[in-house]
Amino acid sequence: MDAKVAATLEEEWDAEADVVVLGAGAAGCAAAIEAHDAGARVLVLEKLPHGKEGGNTRVSGGAWFHNRDPQRAAVYLRSLCAGYPLPEPVVRTWAEETALNTQWMQERVGARVAAVSAAIGDGGDSEIPPEFPELDGSDAYGGYRAVNGQMGNAVLAETLLQAVKTRGIEVRPETPARSLVQDRDTGAVLGVVATEPSGHTLRVRAARGVVLATGGFEANAEMVRDYLRLPDTLTWGNPAATGDGHKMAQKAGADLWHMDNMMTIEGLRVPGFSSGFYTRFSFAQGFIFVGLDGRRCINELPQAGHGQARIHGGYEHVPSRRLHVVFDEATRVAGPISPRREMLPVGWNLLVEGYDWSADNSVEIEKGWIHKAETIGELANKLDVDPAVLTATVRRYNADCEQGEDTQFGRPHRTLVPLRTPPYYGFTSAPMVGWSNGGPRRNENCQVLDPYGEVIKGLFAAGSVSSTYSWCKDGGMHIADALAFGRVAGRAAAR
């Protein structure tokens, strides 16, 4: 770097570290720990205030998949790509590093790790099976591992943050990064410009590198429309996941990869909440999905993974459209349609906002979040669809239930439960984005690449800002990817 430029920049820095990590989720914490343990001075800048930091890691299940065999795991990842191949060095590094996650959590983080049982959260020995058992390499999938065998409740986020704190690594909350500082001649990343809680500008020099661990862009309506092609944005997790790292990387010259990949789930938007409620019919299966025209539009219970479902021999995003959910009184009283804390302690609204769904859905119906009607025709009017169409839709579905065969979409016969018990209920579900996957293209060392495949010196990325997964992914694979490549990024930056 030109000496004159260096001297000029040196006068402008407000703080300095060897490695500056942006974001304190799983990837950011792993990068900070690894860089620190490699001898680097580390500073973590976090967008959210204390108690909310940790991105989607804080509100996720917090478990990682158990990699039984790195060689077979590499085969599984290639299969999961489903026509969108990854560079082989990235595949190999992913397979090797994800196999080390449990050991790293035990030895470097000091966590007690146990299997998560098929009865989620029980901490037993019954392994959770792979979501895509038909794919080659799925035998490498050994279920979930988690701190104390516990899903959710921010256990992983708090454990990682404590490991960062124990090392004396400084974490500055409410200090979002706004831009990267680059050498005017070489383009190398020299530091970060951030905003302090006071509103003042903070310029931080990164002597060895900057690690982007800023999460996805699912809470940025414009980016969701442009890249995910979803016009009606609803976010399940961190409402601060607005693509900040993506924009900084792009301005620095980064190329992008698999920007159209994501995980969507059924979700309910309600007044006063920035994120949506995950809707999941765990206790009764008397429900259907209908399009905005009132006609049933999809198999409601396909073989699905974390983002894609197997449909007609291929893998598609499900759900991928706005639709209405219709169910009856028998389903309403069977149990909550949005998981409560004792069932599945995940999600922003439950863990951060502190809202626990009522056991029989009655509170939410009383609030008007869910429509109630004595007849299907009356419910249709509330959903703004043709009553005759919706009535015919329910009549055909009920007839299929009686015959034990879904003649429209092939829903498994054991799940065909008719809608016969009034009153009837409905709400409109937008495809709720659990997380986005795409971001700045990187190599196996987490170095960010420009459109010509050249390394942007001093810039690294890990976690949801630049997830490995180009298409399908199995349960626990997002956390596994964040921990694995967070470590890789931390080591590489420290060097």
Side-chain angles (χ1 to χ4, degrees), residues 191-207:
V192 178
V193 178
T195 302
E196 295 181 303
S198 64
H200 293 140
T201 296
L202 176 71
R203 292 175 60 88
V204 183
R205 182 179 183 230

Side-chain angles (χ1 to χ4, degrees), residues 346-409:
V346 301
W348 186 267
N349 290 339
L350 194 158
L351 295 182
V352 178
E353 300 293 343
Y355 187 91
D356 211 356
W357 199 269
S358 66
D360 62 358
N361 309 293
S362 59
V363 172
E364 293 72 31
I365 292 169
E366 183 67 26
K367 289 175 180 287
W369 297 355
I370 299 171
H371 298 297
K372 177 181 179 180
E374 291 302 319
T375 67
I376 292 295
E378 181 187 347
L379 181 64
N381 287 324
K382 293 185 176 183
L383 294 173
D384 196 26
V385 300
D386 187 329
V389 172
L390 185 59
T391 300
T393 294
V394 173
R395 185 182 300 120
R396 178 173 180 178
Y397 169 75
N398 285 344
D400 281 356
C401 291
E402 294 298 327
Q403 296 298 319
E405 179 185 2
D406 181 2
T407 59
Q408 288 185 283
F409 300 107

Side-chain angles (χ1 to χ4, degrees), residues 121-187:
D122 288 351
D125 297 325
S126 176
E127 285 188 350
I128 295 170
E131 294 174 339
F132 302 95
E134 72 280 5
L135 293 182
D136 193 11
S138 63
D139 52 300
Y141 188 88
Y144 292 180
R145 296 293 183 270
V147 177
N148 300 322
Q150 295 180 334
M151 289 278 288
N153 279 323
V155 173
L156 176 62
E158 291 296 345
T159 300
L160 290 169
L161 287 165
Q162 182 58 42
V164 168
K165 180 180 178 180
T166 299
R167 285 167 167 78
I169 299 170
E170 183 182 3
V171 179
R172 296 196 185 187
E174 293 187 86
T175 309
R178 298 302 183 195
S179 61
L180 300 169
V181 180
Q182 293 177 269
D183 182 280
R184 65 186 66 173
D185 296 322
T186 67

Side-chain angles (χ1 to χ4, degrees), residues 476-488:
M477 283 194 170
H478 258 279
I479 293 294
D481 187 62
L483 292 172
F485 280 109
R487 297 196 305 273
V488 172

